[in-house]
Amino acid sequence: MATVAPGIRDKFDSMPPELQQAVLQLDARIENLSDLMSCLERIIEQGEKK
């Protein structure tokens, strides 16, 4: 499971639950907005491969 730093938690919590779950499944450390954006880009790339 991913870890979300308190400083970015409000941004993470504002996302739809399905997207939050997808991010958590990436097993990443999300410490800032850049980390969160990288996770979202990975999710998009995975979706395009399907």
Side-chain angles (χ1 to χ4, degrees):
M1 276 289 202
T3 57
V4 181
I8 194 73
R9 175 59 73 175
D10 61 330
K11 302 284 190 223
F12 179 79
D13 289 342
S14 71
M15 298 188 318
E18 300 84 15
L19 193 51
Q20 290 179 15
Q21 187 62 34
V23 169
L24 291 175
Q25 290 176 350
L26 293 176
D27 197 29
R29 288 186 64 178
I30 303 167
E31 297 184 12
N32 53 47
L33 190 55
S34 179
D35 293 341
L36 182 57
M37 294 302 295
S38 293
C39 288
L40 295 175
E41 288 172 357
R42 285 174 53 191
I43 292 167
I44 291 169
E45 289 174 5
Q46 289 174 355
E48 289 176 348
K49 291 180 182 179
K50 290 183 179 179

